Amino acid sequence: MPTKRRLVMSLPLTADVNARAVSEFDVAPPPRPMSRDEVISAACEHGAEALLVGLNLRLSAEDLNRLPGGVRVIATSSVGFEHIDVAAARSRGIVVANTPDVLTDATADTHMLLLLGACRRVKEHVRNMDGGWTIRNGFAQGLGVEVTGRTMGIVGMGRIGRAVAERARGFRMPILYHNRVRLSPDLEGGAKYYGKLEDMLPHCQVLSLNLPGGQGVLMTAARFAALPEGAIFLNSARGSLVDEEALIEALASGQLGAAGLDVFQKEPGYDQRLNALPNTFLLPHIGSATIETRSAMGMRALDNIAAVLNGGVAPDEVKA
Ligand code: DGY
């Protein structure tokens, strides 16, 4: 029986993933997410060869320097990897791997929930129902805006952006997109490409952020102002892409008709002014939160760790 490789998990994953981790590796999944210092101490004590972490564990160059020299791979159970200094990891000979693909559908589904929730004023209606339905809406009260046929502009036409476009086509929404590079016609699927975001914004009745984080603020006051008045804004990507002051201002003034948000500058404990606005539909970063997807993400992280510790290449090595 070969000795099991030493792994430290920074957080408990789904039961099936925890069980596989224990059967394949020398690891004790923790009962709760660990802090960065706890993870580093555990890695040193355990002589870890691999770490399995989540989105909320930031690992800077300094943190990576505190890890034991035997760590060869850090797998994050997330598609986003901006919480890890990948260049610093590489310079220490540590492979960083993420979990692309497996969360595409769940995240795109959540995005459609944001679209429907924002357009149809779901927060207000749910509050009315939670209060026992004491307010009867008149014929012209509580009205949302039509989803079907609204023009959607997608920023970031990667896997998730394309999965959103596929769903939006089911609502007969014309699709525009802005991306670093133009896609091939088969991937475009009839969507209209804009090389400059500024050129696309005035045509977006719905603006949808589907790009990775870690690239600074994309949505500024000027860009919100460039949208048609009453536009719907959706973000299931990262809160760091948005100037939240500008967003609040645009929602309060009516420049934006509504926003559907799954991500925030500060998570948890987001800016309560967003909650106080009637025209927001808010979720607590649940894009990938289905049983199937979270299990697939954890399994994928274990696949990446196993590949590296067995002398192979991580299927999802982050190259950035
Ligand atoms: C990710 O994996 O980066 C998502 O934001 C998690 O839901």
Side-chain angles (χ1 to χ4, degrees):
M1 182 85 165
T3 43
K4 289 180 179 174
R5 315 309 293 262
R6 292 180 302 279
L7 167 66
V8 164
M9 289 169 66
S10 76
L11 73 173
L13 297 177
T14 53
D16 52 347
V17 176
N18 291 340
R20 177 180 158 199
V22 169
S23 86
E24 286 181 24
F25 298 94
D26 175 1
V27 64
R32 54 159 180 85
M34 292 198 281
S35 70
R36 184 174 33 202
D37 284 343
E38 287 172 328
V39 172
I40 293 170
S41 300
C44 293
E45 277 162 29
H46 197 45
E49 298 162 277
L51 300 185
L52 198 167
V53 303
L55 200 56
N56 297 319
L57 196 90
R58 300 212 161 272
L59 289 173
S60 65
E62 199 183 311
D63 301 320
L64 294 166
N65 281 334
R66 291 165 58 210
L67 290 173
V71 173
R72 290 165 54 197
V73 52
I74 300 175
T76 181
S77 189
S78 60
V79 66
F81 52 82
E82 72 277 11
H83 51 297
I84 302 173
D85 187 331
V86 177
R90 184 171 305 125
S91 71
R92 283 180 58 99
I94 301 173
V95 171
V96 176
N98 66 340
T99 60
D101 301 317
V102 289
L103 45 64
T104 300
D105 285 326
T107 307
D109 291 350
T110 303
H111 206 79
M112 301 315 278
L113 179 60
L114 294 178
L115 171 70
L116 292 164
C119 287
R120 299 301 298 270
R121 300 174 62 168
V122 166
K123 178 165 86 178
E124 292 165 79
H125 296 310
V126 168
R127 282 185 179 164
N128 187 7
M129 293 307 285
D130 285 349
W133 195 0
T134 54
I135 307 157
R136 179 187 291 283
N137 280 318
F139 188 77
Q141 287 173 321
L143 307 187
V145 294
E146 197 89 3
V147 172
T148 299
R150 249 181 157 64
T151 298
M152 176 184 273
I154 296 178
V155 187
M157 200 66 150
R159 298 178 191 87
I160 296 173
R162 295 199 299 275
V164 168
E166 183 189 345
R167 286 157 176 73
R169 279 187 209 103
F171 288 91
R172 299 198 298 278
M173 299 176 82
I175 310 295
L176 321 175
Y177 77 100
H178 166 70
N179 206 37
R180 269 178 303 132
V181 287
R182 184 169 183 170
L183 302 180
S184 58
D186 57 317
L187 291 180
E188 262 182 356
K192 181 169 178 195
Y193 178 64
Y194 286 84
K196 275 185 70 184
L197 178 58
E198 268 66 23
D199 293 341
M200 180 176 87
L201 292 175
H203 307 288
C204 300
Q205 292 177 301
V206 177
L207 184 73
S208 172
L209 296 196
N210 299 103
L211 66 167
Q215 42 192 316
V217 173
L218 178 96
M219 287 311 295
T220 58
R223 285 180 169 158
F224 283 121
L227 290 165
E229 192 178 340
I232 308 296
F233 175 67
L234 307 178
N235 187 8
S236 63
R238 286 292 180 267
S240 58
L241 294 164
V242 178
D243 175 344
E244 259 179 21
E245 284 297 325
L247 170 63
I248 290 166
E249 182 70 42
L251 284 162
S253 71
Q255 168 58 16
L256 285 179
L261 309 171
D262 185 45
V263 289
F264 304 85
Q265 284 273 359
K266 187 162 179 291
E267 297 178 10
Y270 70 100
D271 192 322
Q272 286 302 294
R273 290 175 297 167
L274 287 167
N275 186 27
L277 286 161
N279 50 350
T280 56
F281 178 71
L282 311 174
L283 297 173
H285 202 148
I286 56 153
S288 63
T290 68
I291 296 164
E292 297 86 346
T293 292
R294 288 284 164 87
S295 167
M297 290 165 75
M299 293 297 182
R300 192 79 171 237
L302 291 177
D303 291 344
N304 280 295
I305 290 168
V308 174
L309 295 187
N310 290 330
V313 174
D316 306 307
E317 177 173 353
V318 171
K319 298 282 195 311

